[in-house]
Amino acid sequence: MSKLNSYGIRGVANLWFQSYLSHWKQCVEIKSVKQGIYVLTTREIEHGVPQGSILGPVSFSLYVNDLLLNIMGSKIVLFADDTNILLSEANMNNLQCILKNVMNELQTWFTLNKLVVNDKKTLAMSFHTAQEKKSQCFQHVIFEGRDIPYNTETKFLGIYMLMKI
């Protein structure tokens, strides 16, 4: 609600969003055919936006929009629930320093906003000339204490990007 307020959505409009986003519940159903166990649990959702709702995408966009203001030294591309961080620097040592700072800022922002990064969908890519690749050693990208794997291809906004080795 405070983010909506900072975007100028105040008063009755803010109260409407608060009412809309409150008291949503999710249901988890666990069935085991072998053991005959059936568990149905319902809990109120404390964070996030309702998936599958008409206002879900807009609500999520409003929720993550301030990421752009909180991460310095990089270009950020947001599309739906995908976040892409782009860094550019001619000097490899400077790039590693910028990368480390950006990863720390991202970790802080994601933690404060109670968002979790999907490890299975997270990767790093490096674009450079053939001469640069031979002369420079690329270090690991670390986020939340885990190595982010380098990859030579990815799908970006529906377009496959490939890096020739």
Side-chain angles (χ1 to χ4, degrees):
M1 297 300 94
S2 62
K3 287 189 181 196
L4 291 174
N5 190 56
S6 70
Y7 295 138
I9 301 171
R10 299 182 180 101
V12 174
N14 192 291
L15 290 172
W16 183 87
F17 265 102
Q18 185 175 356
S19 173
Y20 172 74
L21 294 172
S22 297
H23 308 297
W24 281 85
K25 296 183 188 232
Q26 70 180 16
C27 180
V28 177
E29 185 177 309
I30 301 170
K31 293 181 184 178
S32 173
V33 177
K34 290 181 181 177
Q35 297 176 349
I37 299 172
Y38 178 79
V39 178
L40 185 64
T41 304
T42 303
R43 289 181 135 177
E44 191 164 315
I45 299 171
E46 297 177 14
H47 308 287
V49 297
Q51 291 184 337
S53 67
I54 292 172
L55 289 178
V58 171
S59 300
F60 185 78
S61 292
L62 289 169
Y63 190 70
V64 299
N65 198 43
D66 67 329
L67 174 66
L68 306 170
L69 304 173
N70 288 281
I71 308 301
M72 302 300 145
S74 66
K75 168 92 172 127
I76 299 175
V77 178
L78 298 173
F79 183 76
D81 63 347
D82 286 337
T83 304
N84 296 275
I85 312 299
L86 309 170
L87 303 173
S88 177
E89 172 60 48
N91 181 287
M92 191 56 161
N93 290 329
N94 290 346
L95 179 63
Q96 288 297 327
C97 184
I98 293 168
L99 178 61
K100 183 178 178 182
N101 290 336
V102 167
M103 291 295 109
N104 288 334
E105 290 174 350
L106 282 168
Q107 183 173 339
T108 299
W109 188 89
F110 275 83
T111 300
L112 288 172
N113 288 277
K114 298 176 176 47
L115 292 172
V116 178
V117 174
N118 185 338
D119 292 345
K120 293 176 178 62
K121 294 183 178 180
T122 303
L123 61 90
M125 289 186 78
S126 179
F127 299 94
H128 42 76
T129 65
Q131 293 81 12
E132 289 171 334
K133 181 173 170 95
K134 290 178 185 174
S135 68
Q136 297 184 11
C137 175
F138 292 95
Q139 297 179 13
H140 298 285
V141 177
I142 298 173
F143 184 76
E144 295 180 339
R146 297 181 306 269
D147 277 342
I148 303 296
Y150 271 92
N151 207 333
T152 57
E153 64 181 69
T154 190
K155 189 175 176 183
F156 180 70
L157 301 178
I159 298 171
Y160 284 96
M161 300 178 72
L162 304 171
M163 179 180 62
K164 281 201 157 193
I165 300 177

